[in-house]
């Protein structure tokens, strides 16, 4: 397994996989999507509690031991370990990508955008103008955001009770964050699904400038590709609808 060296010219992309929500095929697809969408040397790292099935080319590292409240075992708050002073042997800028998103364009601009910023993130599509990022896509420098970890670690449960989610906690703790251009980082259902009632007749379109497309909540990537939007209450089918979207499969491979 390769290890980083001082002045390593590679761009480092990381993902996290724990529990059984996403299988190793999600990691392998993410690695292939990222590899196809960079013109630069790449280091791709997956922190996981189960490396089974993760393919060649992915550098696997263990998730830190679980010593948080049990309710955080599978909660996004668990990723706060990323903001410690050291992170295994990783250094420099890291680009974090959630496993439930598509990479549809070159990731290189995500490294180049606002290089002076400590934390660059997708602006949360449902909280525009509130200074909150959606942490499906974010970039940071290892060891430079330790105030997040220092505030979280003494009482993780209290932080979970105080903030609705981990991204609000991180952004409020940092106070000021930078955002990627909205045209680069999109939400499938908030950015691309046509408004009602056009969604019954029009297929979501992928803009040329898009770099990533996140699938938060429902539908999942595979469901959206098939034109399925699962709902618990039947009446929600009146507005939660998406047509089959072939371009998803073109990228998610």
């Amino acid at each position: 397994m390769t290890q980083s060296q001082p002045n390593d010219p590679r761009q480092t992309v990381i993902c996290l996989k724990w529990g059984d929500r996403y299988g190793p095929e999600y990691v392998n697809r993410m690695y292939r999507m990222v590899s196809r969408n960079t013109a630069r040397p790449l280091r791709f790292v997956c922190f996981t509690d189960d490396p089974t099935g993760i393919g060649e080319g992915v550098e696997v590292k263990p998730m830190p031991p679980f010593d948080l409240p049990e309710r955080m075992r599978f909660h996004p708050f668990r990723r706060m370990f990323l903001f410690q002073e050291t992170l295994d042997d990783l250094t420099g800028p890291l680009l974090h990508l959630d496993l439930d998103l598509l990479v549809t364009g070159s990731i290189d601009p995500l490294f180049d955008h606002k290089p002076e910023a400590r934390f660059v993130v997708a602006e949360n599509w449902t909280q525009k103008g509130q200074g909150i990022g959606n942490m499906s896509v974010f970039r940071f420098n290892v060891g430079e955001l330790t105030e997040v970890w220092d505030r979280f670690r003494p009482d993780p449960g209290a932080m979970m009770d105080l903030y609705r989610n981990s991204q609000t906690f991180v952004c409020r703790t940092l106070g000021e964050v930078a955002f990627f251009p909205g045209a680069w980082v999109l939400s499938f259902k908030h950015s691309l699904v046509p408004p009602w009632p056009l969604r019954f007749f029009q297929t979501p379109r992928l803009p040329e400038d898009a770099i990533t497309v996140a699938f938060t909540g429902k539908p999942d990537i595979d469901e959206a590709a098939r034109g399925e939007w699962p709902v618990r209450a039947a009446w929600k089918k009146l507005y939660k609808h998406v047509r089959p979207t072939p371009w998803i499969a073109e990228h998610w491979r």
Side-chain angles (χ1 to χ4, degrees), residues 73-93:
R73 180 173 294 276
F74 303 112
H75 196 281
F77 267 102
R78 190 176 179 184
R79 64 186 166 190
M80 294 303 101
F81 77 87
L82 294 173
F83 302 113
Q84 298 180 74
E85 184 174 358
T86 60
L87 185 60
D88 204 283
D89 70 334
L90 278 64
T91 59

Side-chain angles (χ1 to χ4, degrees), residues 65 146 164 196 234:
T146 54
R164 196 175 72 177
W196 188 92

Side-chain angles (χ1 to χ4, degrees), residues 122 135 232:
M135 289 177 63
R232 292 184 178 179

Side-chain angles (χ1 to χ4, degrees), residues 102-107 109-110 183-186 208-213:
L102 290 179
V103 179
T104 62
S106 173
I107 65 166
L110 299 177
W184 293 359
V185 287
L186 302 174
E208 292 184 1
D209 293 340
I211 297 176
T212 65
V213 179

